[in-house]
Amino acid sequence: MRWVEVIFAGVCVTAGVVPFFVGGAHGARGLGDDAFTGWPESFEGRNLVQYDLSEREAAFAESFPGKVGLFGSDGEAGMGEKRVIMRWVQVPTRRLHSSGDCLRAMGYAIEPGKIMRDGRGQRWATFLARKDGSVMKVRERFYTAKGGEEWTDVSAWFWAAAMGRTEGPWWGVTVVE
């Protein structure tokens, strides 16, 4: 092997194992189950109603290192067919991933959109999910529970969290219309 190949192999191995060691340190500093203060009562000015997770979603939630909730509106005008999926974690985890990855695994074609700012100045990644003639408009964001830090890309969040550049807990919010 040439020295370049040895260095490349070393970098690859290091990159592959760093999250396990750094993530373990975060896990040891975990906040405990009592750190979850509950789901928000409203979202974007509308009262939320929590829905039961589907069988598939519940199976995912059982192995998820945090909390997962599915919400809709209480019938107020303006929410329409909008569904909000909220995920809460207190340690860096690869189980918090892009909803686009989930939808792609379910057979949806994903058409990336733009990064947008809503009326509150919050940044969202957007995309369209298409399957069998139906189209869903999706947006999502990841942010610290304390506020102030936000990501539109889950990988950017993961590496910031795994390397200790941000403190949890964190939220991942996906809106599907």
Side-chain angles (χ1 to χ4, degrees), residues 73-162:
S73 168
D74 65 357
E76 293 179 27
M79 194 75 144
E81 292 296 314
K82 187 182 295 186
R83 292 292 176 255
V84 180
I85 302 141
M86 295 186 181
R87 296 165 288 169
W88 177 92
V89 295
Q90 61 181 334
V91 295
T93 176
R94 286 288 191 189
R95 300 279 297 165
L96 179 60
H97 54 271
S98 165
S99 56
D101 292 341
C102 279
L103 291 167
R104 194 174 291 112
M106 294 168 51
Y108 284 85
I110 304 301
E111 182 182 315
K114 297 181 179 183
I115 303 299
M116 61 159 277
R117 281 200 189 271
D118 65 14
R120 294 170 200 62
Q122 298 170 335
R123 294 178 342 144
W124 296 83
T126 66
F127 64 90
L128 296 176
R130 300 175 189 272
K131 181 179 177 181
D132 300 331
S134 69
V135 179
M136 294 188 297
K137 188 173 153 186
V138 183
R139 60 187 162 102
E140 71 181 347
R141 66 189 297 261
F142 306 91
Y143 59 95
T144 57
K146 297 175 188 174
E149 293 178 281
E150 64 179 345
W151 301 266
T152 56
D153 176 74
V154 73
S155 291
W157 163 80
F158 174 79
W159 286 108

Side-chain angles (χ1 to χ4, degrees), residues 29-39 66-67 88 90 169:
R29 294 186 301 155
L31 304 173
D33 289 339
D34 60 341
F36 182 68
T37 57
W39 300 111
K67 308 284 184 190
W88 177 92
Q90 61 181 334

Side-chain angles (χ1 to χ4, degrees), residues 9-25 94 158-159 162-163:
V11 169
C12 289
V13 168
T14 301
V17 298
V18 164
F20 295 106
F21 292 102
V22 177
R94 286 288 191 189
F158 174 79
W159 286 108
M163 301 304 284

Side-chain angles (χ1 to χ4, degrees), residues 55-79:
E55 191 173 310
R56 182 179 180 161
E57 293 162 338
F60 172 81
E62 280 182 30
S63 64
F64 187 72
K67 308 284 184 190
V68 178
L70 173 63
F71 303 88
S73 168
D74 65 357
E76 293 179 27
M79 194 75 144

